[in-house]
Amino acid sequence: MKARMGTTRLGPAERSAALAEMAARELDLVVVGGGVVGAGVALDAATRGLDVGLLEARDFASGTSSRSSKLIHGGLRYLEQLNFDLVREALQERALLMQRVAPHLVRPVPFLLPLTHFAWERPYVGAGLALYDSLGFSFGFTRGVPGHRHLSRQRALRLAPALRRAAFTGAVQYWDAQVDDARYVTTMLRTAASYGAHVASRAQVVGFLREGERVTGVRVRDLEGGAEIDVHARQVVNATGVWTDDIQGLVGGRGQIHVRASKGIHLVVPRDRIHSHTGIILRTEKSVLFVIPWGRHWIIGTTDTEWSLDKAHPAASRSDIDYVLDHVNAVLAVPLTRDDVEGVYAGLRPLLAGESDETSKLSREHVVAHPVPGLVMIAGGKYTTYRVMARDAVDAVAHGLDQRVPPSCTDRVPLAGAEGHQALWNSRHRLAKSAGLHVARIEHLLQRYGTLIEEVLALIEEDPSLAGPLAGADDYLRAEIVYAATHEGARHLDDVLARRTHISIETFHRGLAVAREAAELVAGPLGWDDDQIDREVSYYTKRVEAERASQEEDTDHEADAIRLGAPEIVPVDTPVPPP
Ligand SMILES: Cc1cc2nc3c(=O)[nH]c(=O)nc-3n(C[C@H](O)[C@H](O)[C@H](O)COP(=O)(O)OP(=O)(O)OC[C@H]3O[C@@H](n4cnc5c(N)ncnc54)[C@H](O)[C@@H]3O)c2cc1C
C-alpha cells in the first residue's frame, strides 16, 4: 500500500501494472464495474486502508454514468412523491460535493419553472421549493446555492426571452448543481489509484472463483490482449448497474436484487438556438423535461421508457427525439427542428424492479445484498448519492472481512484537482499570462481539471504545438486529447471523443471532422501504428453512421437493430451463465 504522493496517472503502463498487481496476490476487495458506483466503492475502500482492485469491461463510465442529465440534485419529482428522506440525503450530498469533495467539477445551475395555472400553482410550487431549499441545509454546510425566487411573467421573459409569452403565466426560479458525469468518474478513479487502488478498463469479469459456496474472486478477460487472469479477493462487490442480473446469472441461484432498465434520451443543441440566461424545467405527463445550460450548448431531456434490448449501446429512436422536441417546443417562441440537433445520447437507468409497471415510479433508492458469502451486490440509487451507496457497500464488505475496518471517510476526501482550486481560479489571469493562453481557455481547463491543469500545461510546455485547439472542435486543446491517453485511461478514439471530451455530442459532425487528428495525437502514447490509426477512425466513423441511422427509425427495435450494425473496436461478450 503506498502513501498518496501526487495524483496517479491512468496510462497504458499503469493499466498493465494494475492487472499484474491484481493477479499477483489476494486482495481485500475487487470491484466489478467502473461506473460512478464502482469508482465510489474503490475510493471508499482505498481510503479505509483496504487493498482494492476495480475491473471495468469497457471504458470507465461508458455505461449509464456518462449518459445522465448530469445533474447533482435532490430531484423535485421525488419531493412530489413525498420521498423526503431521499431528497434530503441527495441535497446533503449536493452541498458536500460542491463545497468540499469536488468544487472544481460540481457547480450551481439555475432553473426556471414556468407556471401555467393562475390560481393554485404558484403557492403549490412555492411551498415545494421552499421545502426543497430547506432540506438542502446540512450540518456544517450551507446549501451552496441561492434560494428560490418568484417571478412575474415579465421578469421571467427577461431571463428567458426564448419562452413563448402565451405558454405561461409566471415562473419560479430555483438552483441545483451540475457535473460532467464521465469526467467525475475518471477523476474519482485517479483519486482512488492515488490512494493505492488498482484499476483497469477493458477487463471483463467472465466468471467467479468459488470455494464451495463462497466467492473467492473473479476470472477476468483482458480485452486488449485476450489473456484470462484470476483475481483472488476476500470480498467481491458487484456494481454493474443495468448489468446486475447478468452478473447475478454468473453466480447462479435466483438472486436477491433485480434491476430493470429504463431508457432516457437527451438532445444537445447550440446555445444560440435558445435565448435564455437560465436553465428551464418543464412538467410532462410522466415526469419532467430539463433544458440545461452546458458550455456553448443546451442539453434537453429526458424520456423514460422501458428498455430490454442491447444494454451497451441503447439507441434513441425518431419517436424519442420527436417526444423531446414536441415538449420543449410547446414553450418556445421559435421552435427547434431536427436540424438544430447537434448530438443525441441515450442511457439506461438501473431501477430496482418493483411492483409498479411504470418505470418512472420505480424506486430510485439503492439496496445492498449479500447473496452468497464473499459477494456484495449494490444497485439502484442515482448519480448524486453514489458516495452513500459506496459507503453502504464497503460497510457490508467490512462485515464480511475478518478484521476491523475504519468507517468511511470519503466525506473528507477531496477528489484529485480539488485542493487549491479556488486559489488557482482566483489567479487565473496570472496563470493565463504565464501559460501564454487566453484566460477563457484557462477557465475551461480549470473547470475540467482543477489544479491538475498543471499537468496539461506541462504537456504544452514540452510541445507547444499542443497549445492550439482541435481543428473542428475548438473548445478543446490538442493537449487535452494527449492527456486523455497519458493520464486519464482513454484507450480508444471513442473514449476520447465521447467521454474524456464530449465532442461526439457537441458538434454537428459528431466528431468525424476531428477523428483523424485526435487519433494521430493519441497514437504515440497508446503505441498505435498507421494501421491502428486507420482502424480506430474507421470504427468511430461506423459508430457515428449507425447512431445517425438508428435515430431515423421509428421504434426501439428498429433503432437497436441498426445501431448494432456497427462493430465494437473491442468486442465484449455477453456473459454466459454456467449450466
Ligand atoms: C437518462 C438518465 C438521466 C439521469 N440523470 C441523472 C441525474 O441528472 N442525476 C442523478 O443523480 N442521476 C441521474 N441518473 C442516474 C445515474 O446516471 C445512474 O444511477 C448512475 O450513473 C448508475 O451508475 P452505476 O455505476 O450503477 O452504473 P454504470 O455507470 O452503468 O456502471 C456499470 C459498469 O459496469 C460495467 N460492467 C458490466 N458488466 C461487467 C463485467 N462483466 N465486467 C466488468 N465490468 C462490467 C459496465 O460496462 C458499466 O461501465 C440518470 C440516468 C439516466 C439513464
Side-chain angles (χ1 to χ4, degrees):
M1 176 81 194
K2 61 178 179 176
R4 186 171 175 249
M5 302 267 292
T7 301
T8 301
R9 292 170 172 225
L10 295 181
E14 288 77 14
R15 176 181 179 276
S16 305
L19 284 171
E21 290 271 356
M22 285 191 259
R25 62 171 184 277
E26 186 187 47
L27 304 173
D28 291 324
L29 165 65
V30 66
V31 185
V32 189
V36 72
V37 176
V41 172
L43 179 61
D44 190 288
T47 53
R48 292 197 206 197
L50 296 177
D51 193 8
V52 56
L54 178 140
L55 299 156
E56 163 55 50
R58 300 166 184 85
D59 181 25
F60 302 125
S62 58
T64 309
S65 298
S66 56
R67 300 154 181 267
S68 75
S69 303
K70 312 187 196 302
L71 295 176
I72 299 296
H73 63 161
L76 275 189
R77 67 200 180 105
Y78 308 128
L79 196 63
E80 206 160 20
Q81 292 164 8
L82 306 181
N83 199 338
F84 300 131
D85 287 345
L86 182 63
V87 176
R88 182 184 297 109
E89 181 176 72
L91 290 176
Q92 287 176 357
E93 287 303 301
R94 184 186 74 181
L96 184 66
L97 304 189
M98 221 177 355
Q99 294 174 61
R100 186 189 284 164
V101 173
H104 55 320
L105 300 178
V106 182
R107 47 190 147 266
V109 58
F111 286 104
L112 195 74
L113 196 158
L115 304 171
T116 48
H117 302 275
F118 272 108
W120 59 270
E121 201 182 7
R122 188 180 285 281
Y124 175 76
V125 169
L129 285 169
L131 182 61
Y132 196 70
D133 282 345
S134 69
L135 289 173
F137 281 104
S138 63
F139 299 108
F141 283 101
T142 62
R143 199 171 44 216
V145 297
H148 75 285
R149 57 177 181 155
H150 285 270
L151 298 170
S152 65
R153 178 160 66 182
Q154 203 48 40
R155 283 189 69 199
L157 275 170
R158 252 180 267 141
L159 272 181
L163 290 177
R164 189 162 53 82
R165 194 180 176 80
F168 70 117
T169 57
V172 188
Q173 192 182 38
Y174 75 100
W175 290 72
D176 249 317
Q178 71 179 158
V179 68
D180 176 338
D181 49 6
R183 169 151 299 280
Y184 194 96
V185 172
T186 318
T187 309
M188 189 148 52
L189 285 167
R190 288 191 66 192
T191 313
S194 307
Y195 283 104
H198 318 289
V199 306
S201 63
R202 309 277 175 197
Q204 184 188 8
V205 168
V206 290
F208 284 88
L209 309 179
R210 309 287 287 257
E211 286 293 339
E213 192 200 14
R214 187 177 188 85
V215 166
T216 56
V218 290
R219 169 146 305 158
V220 186
R221 188 169 302 144
D222 174 355
L223 297 173
E224 298 286 332
E228 288 203 356
I229 57 169
D230 287 349
V231 175
H232 295 271
R234 294 161 69 201
Q235 294 278 317
V236 177
V237 169
N238 177 38
T240 52
V242 291
W243 286 271
T244 298
D245 288 23
D246 299 309
I247 297 290
Q248 181 67 56
L250 290 177
V251 185
R254 267 171 46 84
Q256 295 172 347
I257 301 186
H258 294 290
V259 171
R260 274 172 62 181
S262 133
K263 181 175 64 162
I265 76 130
H266 291 86
L267 309 181
V268 182
V269 303
R271 196 66 179 256
D272 62 11
R273 300 296 200 275
I274 301 175
H275 185 193
S276 175
H277 307 288
T278 172
I280 300 168
I281 176 172
L282 305 172
R283 288 156 166 279
T284 62
E285 322 79 83
K286 277 174 87 178
S287 182
V288 291
L289 191 90
F290 290 105
V291 181
I292 308 163
W294 180 254
R296 293 203 286 168
H297 317 266
W298 295 101
I299 291 178
I300 311 175
T302 178
T303 57
D304 196 337
T305 53
E306 185 154 359
W307 178 264
S308 54
L309 303 166
D310 181 58
K311 294 186 188 118
H313 307 293
S317 66
R318 171 179 278 281
S319 329
D320 292 328
I321 296 172
D322 288 346
Y323 173 93
V324 174
L325 286 177
D326 287 350
H327 280 81
V328 71
N329 284 341
V331 298
L332 293 181
V334 181
L336 297 173
T337 71
R338 278 190 69 124
D339 289 343
D340 295 317
V341 176
E342 295 175 289
V344 181
Y345 64 93
L348 299 178
R349 296 177 190 85
L351 301 182
L352 297 170
E355 300 297 309
S356 167
D357 274 349
E358 268 196 73
T359 57
S360 52
K361 296 221 180 81
L362 287 178
S363 173
R364 255 63 167 175
E365 283 165 274
H366 67 273
V367 289
V368 176
H370 223 140
V372 287
L375 177 65
V376 170
M377 314 276 288
I378 170 96
K382 57 182 199 161
Y383 201 103
T384 306
T385 51
Y386 81 83
R387 206 190 55 81
V388 179
M389 296 176 72
R391 180 195 66 200
D392 291 352
V394 181
D395 281 348
V397 165
H399 197 70
L401 290 172
D402 221 4
Q403 68 187 68
R404 226 188 77 67
V405 177
S408 173
C409 62
T410 51
D411 58 340
R412 278 157 287 141
V413 176
L415 297 194
E419 268 172 306
H421 167 70
Q422 186 61 50
L424 212 50
W425 178 263
N426 295 344
S427 322
R428 62 194 183 281
H429 290 277
R430 221 163 354 117
L431 189 57
K433 220 178 243 164
S434 72
L437 291 172
H438 192 280
V439 70
R441 290 275 177 215
I442 293 291
E443 287 177 357
H444 158 96
L445 295 175
L446 281 170
Q447 290 185 338
R448 285 168 52 74
Y449 307 99
T451 55
L452 297 179
I453 188 176
E454 305 284 359
E455 296 178 343
V456 182
L457 296 179
L459 289 179
I460 294 176
E461 211 170 301
E462 243 170 66
D463 176 358
S465 77
L466 299 180
L470 280 183
D474 61 3
D475 274 348
Y476 297 95
L477 297 182
R478 286 159 57 82
E480 294 180 77
I481 305 300
V482 175
Y483 187 74
T486 53
H487 289 69
E488 298 186 322
R491 298 200 53 85
H492 295 282
L493 188 55
D494 188 52
D495 307 349
V496 175
L497 298 180
R499 285 169 294 278
R500 303 309 179 282
T501 69
H502 300 285
I503 295 170
S504 68
I505 53 168
E506 292 174 348
T507 53
F508 282 107
H509 56 73
R510 300 198 179 174
L512 293 183
V514 298
R516 185 154 293 275
E517 183 181 0
E520 283 167 357
L521 282 166
V522 295
L526 295 178
W528 294 351
D529 57 16
D530 287 348
D531 284 350
Q532 183 66 12
I533 293 177
D534 288 345
R535 228 163 71 86
E536 294 277 342
V537 173
S538 149
Y539 272 80
Y540 185 77
T541 306
K542 285 186 192 137
R543 180 211 120 154
V544 171
E545 284 167 354
E547 259 177 22
R548 277 198 173 132
S550 68
Q551 289 155 17
E552 296 300 326
E553 298 297 324
D554 281 329
T555 67
D556 279 354
H557 275 95
E558 290 160 336
D560 180 67
I562 301 255
R563 173 63 187 88
L564 287 184
E568 284 205 64
I569 187 124
V570 179
V572 181
D573 304 333
T574 309
V576 184

